[in-house]
Amino acid sequence: MAFTRVAAVDDLWRGEMTAVVAGGVTIVLVYLDDGIRAFYDRCAHLGVPLSQGRLAGHVLTCSAHQWQYDARTGAGINPAEVRLRPLPLRIAGGQVFVDPAAVAAAS
């Protein structure tokens, strides 16, 4: 895997999410109490950017039709049968890296 830098950890806020671009694809970084997660920035329903939604604790809610996901795992909450695809993420030297090949494959 070839990882690409997408953000500095110091530029992210715990309890918030941020849209970044890697490999020409927008991803959403979610900073939870136990670490940072990365997902393709599209709701499984209609492809609306998840980064335009809201994060409350570990629940990520899409702005369009209120679909909800567990931001710790990507598992659907409402509806339960959907899932976000987590993207490979690595943190080194205070920087956040993702694998752009995995980002492109997720799109």
Side-chain angles (χ1 to χ4, degrees), residues 6-100:
V6 293
V9 173
D10 288 344
D11 292 339
L12 304 175
W13 291 84
R14 195 168 299 219
E16 294 187 9
M17 56 186 169
T18 305
V20 296
V21 176
V25 176
T26 305
I27 65 171
V28 62
L29 298 176
V30 182
Y31 197 168
L32 303 172
D33 285 339
D34 65 346
I36 300 169
R37 309 292 195 287
F39 300 98
Y40 179 54
D41 191 19
R42 293 288 179 261
C43 178
H45 181 213
L46 294 175
V48 173
L50 291 168
S51 58
Q52 293 176 5
R54 68 183 181 279
L55 181 66
H58 66 271
V59 178
L60 196 165
T61 303
C62 178
S63 63
H65 296 102
Q66 310 308 304
W67 282 32
Q68 295 182 315
Y69 304 91
D70 184 330
R72 298 170 297 189
T73 63
I77 296 172
N78 185 22
E81 62 274 0
V82 297
R83 182 170 194 79
L84 299 176
R85 180 172 174 186
L87 299 171
L89 179 137
R90 182 171 66 191
I91 297 175
Q95 304 298 311
V96 180
F97 299 84
V98 296
D99 178 5

